Amino acid sequence: MVKIAPSILAADPLNLERDTRRMEEAGCDWLHVDVMDAHFVPNLAYTPDIVRRLRQAVSVPLDVHLMMDHPETLLDAFLDAGADILTVHAEAEVPLEGIIRRIHERNVKAGIAVKPRTDPEIIRELMPQADLILTMTVEPGFGGQKLDEHVPAKMRKLREMGYRGWIEADGGIDESNLPHLIDCGLDVAVMGTALFREKDPAALIRRLHGLGEP
Ligand code: DX5
Ligand code: ZN
């Protein structure tokens, strides 16, 4: 069954506790926290302290996506804050091997993210260490964009390359395009706009969980 991970980027920043509790009550599987450094992406979002407080507010796993050129600078802070999955970008300015090892040393799941135009060949070596591969379906930085139609083929390619871990996608996902992503090998759907604008998120999540099921 596909996992649904609401992206808090689309929540009301002045009512984060209300909105995240609402998504948990609606049956979401994870909560996706988009961390941005205003350098790797032209936007700034969320601190380790927000993750620490979210950890106290909800019980679903916190799926933290570090859109940072230097994720090593705040890795311990996000690990200490209670991230359950910590994902770093293959395009960051630092090698990922050591970062993934540090994440695993803390018994946290490690993810590798690739932007829409990045060839997954660049992460072939690291794939065996990745619990999750995040194939961004939009250029990272902002919610509310249109899904990049080239990316589903990249998910199929990852499976053909022998990847058997979680494949996650993030950006522009809604009820109409999710079935095709599932066909291409998706396990986890990050959804911001489509979920937070929904008046009955529980009904939507129930329908989404039913997609791809026999
Ligand atoms: C991009 C962000 C978005 C957000 C979800 O960096 O990561 O992908 O989480 O976007 P929407 O609102 O399109 O679901
Ligand atoms: Zn994200």
Side-chain angles (χ1 to χ4, degrees), residues 7-10 32 34 36 41 65 67 136-146 170-173 190-195:
S7 164
I8 65 170
L9 198 63
H32 187 83
D34 282 313
M36 302 184 188
V41 291
H65 173 197
M67 286 168 267
M136 287 301 294
T137 32
V138 296
E139 269 308 306
F142 297 92
Q145 300 177 72
K146 194 174 167 338
D170 176 0
I173 300 176
V190 175
M191 296 171 69
T193 310
L195 266 176

Side-chain angles (χ1 to χ4, degrees), residues 168-188:
E168 181 177 57
D170 176 0
I173 300 176
D174 60 26
E175 193 170 6
S176 69
N177 57 35
L178 183 52
H180 179 52
L181 300 179
I182 293 169
D183 287 347
C184 294
L186 186 79
D187 298 298
V188 187

Side-chain angles (χ1 to χ4, degrees), residues 17 32-33 39 59 74 96 104 125 169 179 182:
E17 181 176 13
H32 187 83
V33 183
H39 191 262
S59 53
L74 286 175
L96 298 188
H104 283 154
E125 301 280 301
I182 293 169

